[in-house]
Amino acid sequence: MSTQPSFSTLPLPPATLANLEQLGYTGMTPIQAAALPLALAGHDLIAQAKTGSGKTAAFSLALLANLNVRRFAVQALVLCPTRELADQVTLEVRRLARAEDHIKVLTLCGGAVMRTQTASLEHGAHIVVGTPGRIMDHLERGSLKLDALNTLVLDEADRMLDMGFFDDIATVVKQCPKQRQTLLFSATYPEGIAKLSAAFMREPKEVKLMQQHAATKIRQRFYEVKESERLHAVSLLLNHYRPVSTLAFCNTKQQCRDLVQVLRGQGFAALELHGDLDQRERDQVMVRFANRSCSVLVATDIAARGLDIAGLEAVINVDIAADVDTHTHRIGRTGRVDEEGWAFSLASMDEMGRVGNIEKAGGFTSEWQPLSSLTSTAGGPLKPPMQTIQILGGRKEKIRAGDVLGALTKDLGFAGAQIGKINVNEFSTYVAVESGIAAQVVKKLSAGKVKGRSVKLRLLES
């Protein structure tokens, strides 16, 4: 029996409640139970809750309740810090909007072609999700009109402030109608949040869910290392605990590159994510990590902003984070919703002061283990369960995920269970397949067809 309060206690239409049930929403998470009654009553809201707590559904249901589907104009705007987060929010809004026919949701972020976005805007939209810079570009060009807006959402507002978006947000908000509802969601509460709310919100209600991740959800372990042992210690952790999916944080781009080189040299499928990657490379890395064809993603904090990876088993702090908030953000990527996760931190003597600050803020005493306790288990180097095949051709060629799945299962006879996530981007399609059949799939699909056409493809290897 779920002890979570039911969505049926809220003033939501029967079609929305039926859709929530179909999507497997059994009851409200604490942030939904606290925020939704206030948001649905029309109040401005500042909600503080950790990432992965169900906040996207909280603001999505509120903005959908304010929507007049027959009015084909932008009525809701969601500002996000990164393109990845904007994509995730768009997917969630679309899922929750299924109860109503013909709700159009558009994503407007940098890294995508401006012309294509302008053309989409000409066809109209009800809801726009995007990053501040790109939204500002469209407002300046006049391709985005906000005069019909009734709901503004600032998602992960603390991260947007960290990334220096205060002025951009201010520019966007000034173009929104005064009579609107503003919902601000944030994992932490830096002073910039108070400044934002004072400038742009009307008597906001505050909801603060300060509960940390339950101790049983994220198990933290610390290992003392000498500088010369640090990179090798990462492979010791991976071979000992053997997590399927690990996010390793480094404080510099160079440390990311060095670690990836060390891990690949030892047979791990590792990829790097940092500011020197262009958007296409970044998208490809994210697809491969999310579809489980890469065991370890080595990232800097800025590059990993907005990432929300389901089923992340472990986070490794290769370097100790510069401040407590960053450490909390890092380890909060694992142990999401009802899953458990590991957070391992490698600390040299020079970093003990930072570890002390983390303990003090978290109210715990670190659990220290010696590196010598890490032993390699049988089974050879850790290998990812999936591999990714890139098909040259995507939305531009009208390829859909169903076309690819049909070609692999109906035409070529592979089992549906052997095929993982299929991501269709503008010019490329990425298909995750079980590692054991990857070579076979490449061979058969190269000789076969997708949507009646031959395709060019390649196996992506770390």
Side-chain angles (χ1 to χ4, degrees), residues 113-150:
V113 183
M114 194 79 179
R115 215 173 37 250
T116 316
Q117 293 181 348
T118 306
S120 299
L121 279 166
E122 279 169 10
H123 293 122
H126 293 102
I127 300 162
V128 165
V129 182
T131 47
R134 184 50 65 100
I135 295 293
M136 219 163 67
D137 289 347
H138 281 290
L139 288 169
E140 277 167 16
R141 287 168 183 233
S143 44
L144 175 62
K145 304 263 194 302
L146 297 179
D147 33 350
L149 189 91
N150 56 38

Side-chain angles (χ1 to χ4, degrees), residues 232-252:
H232 180 56
V234 177
S235 46
L236 291 177
L237 283 168
L238 294 169
N239 278 327
H240 181 88
Y241 290 98
R242 302 186 81 75
V244 174
S245 184
T246 301
L247 184 51
F249 283 101
C250 296
N251 289 352
T252 65

Side-chain angles (χ1 to χ4, degrees), residues 99-315:
E100 280 268 17
D101 285 342
H102 313 306
I103 289 180
K104 191 170 170 194
V105 189
L106 256 189
T107 319
L108 301 177
C109 298
V113 183
M114 194 79 179
R115 215 173 37 250
T116 316
Q117 293 181 348
T118 306
S120 299
L121 279 166
E122 279 169 10
H123 293 122
H126 293 102
I127 300 162
V128 165
V129 182
T131 47
R134 184 50 65 100
I135 295 293
M136 219 163 67
D137 289 347
H138 281 290
L139 288 169
E140 277 167 16
R141 287 168 183 233
S143 44
L144 175 62
K145 304 263 194 302
L146 297 179
D147 33 350
L149 189 91
N150 56 38
T151 315
L152 172 68
V153 180
L154 304 176
D155 189 15
E156 304 220 354
D158 50 350
R159 290 194 191 169
M160 289 199 280
L161 294 176
D162 278 353
M163 294 164 80
F165 283 143
F166 187 93
D167 291 342
D168 291 7
I169 294 169
T171 305
V172 172
V173 175
K174 282 186 184 115
Q175 300 214 32
C176 297
K178 290 255 185 294
Q179 294 303 311
R180 62 164 197 276
Q181 183 178 22
T182 306
L183 307 172
L184 185 152
F185 284 76
S186 186
T188 58
Y189 203 93
E191 59 191 56
I193 297 290
K195 196 173 151 195
L196 265 181
S197 67
F200 310 127
M201 301 179 84
R202 291 177 304 176
E203 297 170 17
K205 303 282 185 194
E206 288 193 24
V207 171
K208 286 192 183 185
L209 292 185
M210 290 309 293
Q211 88 278 24
Q212 295 301 311
H213 291 268
T216 51
K217 294 271 187 68
I218 298 179
R219 186 92 184 269
Q220 290 202 64
R221 276 193 181 163
F222 288 76
Y223 294 82
E224 189 182 330
V225 292
K226 294 190 188 78
E227 211 51 59
S228 57
E229 301 171 315
R230 200 184 287 271
L231 300 186
H232 180 56
V234 177
S235 46
L236 291 177
L237 283 168
L238 294 169
N239 278 327
H240 181 88
Y241 290 98
R242 302 186 81 75
V244 174
S245 184
T246 301
L247 184 51
F249 283 101
C250 296
N251 289 352
T252 65
K253 292 183 235 182
Q254 192 52 50
Q255 184 84 309
C256 281
R257 293 188 197 102
D258 293 346
L259 178 56
V260 166
Q261 220 169 346
V262 167
L263 292 175
R264 285 183 178 171
Q266 295 177 355
F268 291 97
L271 292 171
E272 60 198 70
L273 187 69
H274 50 70
D276 287 351
L277 270 56
D278 65 30
Q279 194 63 53
R280 189 182 49 81
E281 293 167 320
R282 190 184 162 91
D283 288 347
Q284 196 178 100
V285 166
M286 283 315 307
V287 163
R288 290 171 68 185
F289 187 55
N291 72 17
R292 308 216 140 192
S293 61
C294 150
S295 304
V296 194
L297 179 60
V298 182
T300 56
D301 291 299
I302 287 290
R305 289 275 185 220
L307 294 194
D308 189 4
I309 305 293
L312 185 62
E313 284 181 40
V315 165

